Amino acid sequence: MAFILQKARLFLSFFIVVTFSQTYANNGYDLWLQYKKTENNNLLSHYKSTVKSIVVFGTSKTIEISARELKKGLSGMLGQTIPKTSNIESDNVIVISSLSNLEKNFLPLIENDFVNLPDEGFLIKSVKYRNKNLTLIISKNDIGVLYGSFAFLRLLQTNQRIDNLNIKDAPRLKHRLLNHWDNPDRTVERGYAGFSIWNWHKLPEYIDQRYIDYARANASVGINGTVLTNVNANALILTPEYLEKVEALANVFRPYGIKVYLTARFSAPIQIGKLETADPLDEKVQQWWKNKAKEIYERIPDFGGFLVKANSEGQPGPQNYRRNHVDGANMLADAVAPYGGIVMWRAFVYSEHDPTDRAKQAYSEFVPYDGQFRNNVMVQVKNGAIDFQPREPFHPMFGAMPHTPLTMEFQITQEYLGFSTHLVYLPKLYEEVLQADTYAQGKGSTVAKVIDGSLHNNSLTGMAGVSNIGNDINWTGHHFAQANWYGYGRLAWNPYLSAEKIAEEWIRCTFSNSEEFVDTIKRMMIKSRETVVNYMTPYGLHHIMGTGHHYGPAPWVSNLPRPEWNPVYYHKADGYGIGFNRTKSGSNATSQYFPEVEKMYDKAKTTPEKDLLWFHHLPWDYKLKNELTLWEGIAMKYQQGVNEVYEMLTTWEKMKKYIDNERYNDVKMSLEIQLKEAKWWRDACLLYFQQFSEMPLPDGVHAPNKNLDYYQSLKFPYAPGRG
Amino acid sequence: MAFILQKARLFLSFFIVVTFSQTYANNGYDLWLQYKKTENNNLLSHYKSTVKSIVVFGTSKTIEISARELKKGLSGMLGQTIPKTSNIESDNVIVISSLSNLEKNFLPLIENDFVNLPDEGFLIKSVKYRNKNLTLIISKNDIGVLYGSFAFLRLLQTNQRIDNLNIKDAPRLKHRLLNHWDNPDRTVERGYAGFSIWNWHKLPEYIDQRYIDYARANASVGINGTVLTNVNANALILTPEYLEKVEALANVFRPYGIKVYLTARFSAPIQIGKLETADPLDEKVQQWWKNKAKEIYERIPDFGGFLVKANSEGQPGPQNYRRNHVDGANMLADAVAPYGGIVMWRAFVYSEHDPTDRAKQAYSEFVPYDGQFRNNVMVQVKNGAIDFQPREPFHPMFGAMPHTPLTMEFQITQEYLGFSTHLVYLPKLYEEVLQADTYAQGKGSTVAKVIDGSLHNNSLTGMAGVSNIGNDINWTGHHFAQANWYGYGRLAWNPYLSAEKIAEEWIRCTFSNSEEFVDTIKRMMIKSRETVVNYMTPYGLHHIMGTGHHYGPAPWVSNLPRPEWNPVYYHKADGYGIGFNRTKSGSNATSQYFPEVEKMYDKAKTTPEKDLLWFHHLPWDYKLKNELTLWEGIAMKYQQGVNEVYEMLTTWEKMKKYIDNERYNDVKMSLEIQLKEAKWWRDACLLYFQQFSEMPLPDGVHAPNKNLDYYQSLKFPYAPGRG
């Protein structure tokens, strides 16, 4: 008996507990369109009683897509199939229609709602019709129905009530574009989420499901245009072989309200047109572009137009022929004007022949041309005057060209902000820029008002976001980088939305409506942008990243052929202090701002400390508002950045129960990389700057484990995203 | 009243029927591990009554993975959760265990089953134990349990009964490897399914779910090793920065029974070791490799070893120092020998300084070294003597080196067979080669017997497959290319399996068990390899593809610097005829075969017509067995290839009801591309060869729509997959 018992114990000891994860794996492919079943039972009952079926008016592909999306979303969130029906006499029906297709009996229910509603706007309205409850989703044209359908679904996704609705919404900007810096070999300049989703080789015949899902995701946030190709352009895209492929993409995107645009290589008439010049005042060149535009529009009647990077960083342009930006832009504008196309001419220029502060050059070069561009030209301006840094003061061009439509260029891909392993919620950055006051027409002349045309009464308005999309399964490499795509789209729709509201929407749509989770993760996201500034470039430092790939810290680099390519050009650390003097006593870049702003930035004491070293070269012992010396302040900020990443990691770990395993682990691994790299930034930068300050690290700042030589020796020959 | 009716009709006419697809979208990510619920109700009942729970002995990660896989697979296919239990006294239990962990009471049930069972083999046996029905899945070691679990699941996946089982299986080859031609920048040489799945930048911290799913898929077919890097090698992979990343992958793969291997760039001691030479007889060089091996094995104790391409196509090697392949291979073999590592030295060599037939050079260079390699060296030989053509006679080295283990190198990626848009079932090609008779030891000396060591009594055996895996969501670009990965793995496990049996397995696991579908698609797959030969290179033609990228036909190319890079070198079309005379009267390559084979190939009349122009230069009016002239025969084969692709397309369309929409559409689009390109091959080749034959196209062959100039003008500067 004892023997048997012993045997049994032995036997049991062989068993192991294999834990099978009960959490459904989520690879993130579905983005913010998860449509999980509503967990709140009261709300679920409310939704079920309000939504019984869908009635559809109209036959366009866009309407069909809207109906399919509603069915998919509602069925998912209600946990039961919501059928399409043709019976509008039943109760609790969702009705989708454009105004022109709408059953005429309904018109009295919405008669005054369409006054002043723009073409792409929509109305979501709860009405009674013959004693039945209906929810109308109505728009002037079909694309507004799709936008309205996504907006309605978002109400459920974010756990809002859907009775007594009376929502009118419309985009504030006309052109809401993604810019893909994608090359024909599928590498993506500044791409960190794999490679280009455009599989040119298999186009036009092979329509990857990605293209459809890409269009759907964009439409869900109101993006209505996409520039398929890199601003460092390849003329090949304008050949018939490639236009056939572009046409295939345009056909996929059209029912989602998305137009395609291309980058125009200025030298294309020579490279693919066999002309001897690309001089914009040469008639043959002008004719070549007109013919090319005609060829494109014959294939793609709603082609959006051209985006051009000219005479910048080696790209050809009108200056190669002693012409100017106006000559170049207007030539292209004339070519596409007959078809309603536009030209977006980038202001991102700086010259190796111009010894003045790089931050001043775009303004100096473009502002004199104000009013000279054709009325289908927009000048596309980066948010700051250098290049997509973790923080930059707003670009002085905003407000300075009242007779020229300016379109905002934001970077969604994190070229300078940690690639796709750092969690940085960028709408916080976008909001800071959009809400900045240019004082162009006095106080309250925000950048947003420049962009949306209200300040200078422009009707040609737009925003461009440099895409962070690649062929990683989760689209953006980091699950939280999806929020930057989402948030960019929402701000392009309405630049007055708050970053916090957008974060909350995105969290609820993407992860969970649990209040603890939403509150915690929202706080983490909102703080994350300041965190990356802290551990990379506090107090207005900028452009001290690794050469070429921009990966990691390299403030020591000083041997590149063009002065403004070297980090030392930007931080100017020396025995006295640190920072770039852009005041009257320095480069006088402050003079490019309107007087109120100029005055503020021209003195260190009135400059917000977040921008301090952008404008001022200050001694190491300069006293900050918190009584620390500048050196101590810098050191403490780097340490704070590290501490905050550590907090993000522990916060994330505490939220584990709300998250599926796959996304939980992915984000956790990324946060661990971010923590490692935040420390790397802190240690490398402080060791380097300490050579000049010759001051000890203040208490609370961790001493580096390695010496400066080590950090300077690091090489990353295959860092991703180079052009 | 009439008014109301009219109104109602009008009203109804506004409604449209929006069809919502009921078929669940399937993106193909799950490969052949779909585990859909069993549709046959009788079988479902049988499965449910036979499988009630799972009992697990052992605690290793491999056992845990086996248990998880069984639970996932069985729960999916039975449509109900199959729990793990610790109660072996219950009925209808699946028991998984290694022999050493097995409850001792079970041992008498299997006592004789483990005689002669190799380490990786397994037993699946239905037994009665205390009047209860059990299914035992037992192996000598844990990995065999995983293989057995997948084998058991496959029984259900392919709708077989699972009572009265008594299955013993074990791999015939020891090293069953994938070779990834993946570069550190994530481009993949000859990759057509996106880019490398190895995200070096994010390693070692970030473990992409892909790595785990990759290991799982490989384990499911018995692949037990992977060479992570391109044979055109980069020494960087051997630096500590990259070895840390390799280690992270090895840790992921280990519990799936998969070892990692690396390609060794022969000049690494110079490039990363700061030595002045890489001479294999230099003691410092030898020591450098020994130190490097030690460093690797300290990180990765089960590191597999090195794969080397040396002195081939510009790669450095021992000949740079007037040493030979034996010197190079043995040096590396000595470095890894203390740790049980192996060296795979590739025989794919041909020289611009050697004017003899390229097909002869590998044999001439390697056969004299037979018996001189260390016993941990395998010479890796491509299936044919040129380069992975749609058809090649088997490589004459097979059978010719009785004292040297030869490992077979097959190409899974379709470099010369239509990239990832042509449906070509490659196991048919592999089978043809494996079943070819070398006559090395008389009749029946098949290539398979050379490879598995049985012919010459080698115990070091292996097979290498050049991977077709990329970061496309469906892994291989074409859903049917998954079958080539699957089939390669199955043949590496057992080179005597029939291609047809493998196709059937794969279809059932991947798509459907419906008999009509299985029969139809199996026939289509089996035929597909001959089809690609027909429309690309019938009758033994070879290497007439586009230069560099190998995309599309280009038999006219004659201007490349090395003669053997030009298609004209291979087809030798002229006014007399076409084909490469490799008989005694020509290059005498036939003499490299054993006499029986040599005799067969040396005469046109005894040469199988499928290989005719590989060995013979024949007049255009040469009479084929079917009484057509050679010209007519060639033309008819090209047309037949086109016709067969058209048949594949219509067959696929007829099978629509069995297939989810996404995969149906993907494959349909690919077949349409294949049809277009088959016509391109037919038209371009026939127009070109017709210049020499000066004969009309026979009846039934479509006249080309375009002229030869057009086909010659086509350029593909960004065709994928270049190195």
Side-chain angles (χ1 to χ4, degrees), chain A residues 11 16 59 103 205 676, chain B residues 11 16 59 88 103 205 676:
Chain A
F11 189 63
I16 56 150
T59 58
E103 153 59 23
E205 290 89 354
K676 185 180 87 165
Chain B
F11 189 61
I16 54 149
T59 59
I88 58 153
E103 153 59 20
E205 291 89 353
K676 186 179 86 164

Side-chain angles (χ1 to χ4, degrees), chain B residues 393-522:
Chain B
F394 72 90
H395 202 302
M397 283 178 71
F398 291 112
M401 296 183 74
H403 307 294
T404 307
L406 301 187
T407 187
M408 169 66 78
E409 181 175 312
F410 281 130
Q411 195 177 41
I412 312 173
T413 188
Q414 294 172 231
E415 172 179 0
Y416 294 97
L417 291 95
F419 291 10
S420 65
T421 45
H422 292 213
L423 193 167
V424 182
Y425 177 60
L426 290 173
K428 215 36 206 166
L429 183 162
Y430 307 152
E431 179 185 59
E432 180 176 286
V433 175
L434 292 166
Q435 294 311 316
D437 197 340
T438 69
Y439 283 86
Q441 309 264 14
K443 189 166 166 55
S445 303
T446 60
V447 171
K449 288 185 185 168
V450 175
I451 293 306
D452 78 356
S454 61
L455 195 69
H456 299 124
N457 203 22
N458 300 323
S459 61
L460 185 58
T461 58
M463 196 183 282
V466 181
S467 158
N468 63 348
I469 296 166
N471 73 344
D472 276 1
I473 290 179
N474 72 10
W475 299 88
T476 54
H478 197 305
H479 292 285
F480 274 77
Q482 297 178 351
N484 296 333
W485 176 10
Y486 179 89
Y488 164 76
R490 297 286 286 138
L491 284 167
W493 178 274
N494 181 355
Y496 301 94
L497 287 177
S498 87
E500 189 169 331
K501 174 182 160 34
I502 295 170
E504 178 163 339
E505 273 178 17
W506 178 81
I507 295 165
R508 290 180 183 273
C509 295
T510 308
F511 282 107
S512 167
N513 275 294
S514 154
E515 298 304 328
E516 187 197 10
F517 182 82
V518 173
D519 289 348
T520 308
I521 299 302
K522 186 169 67 176

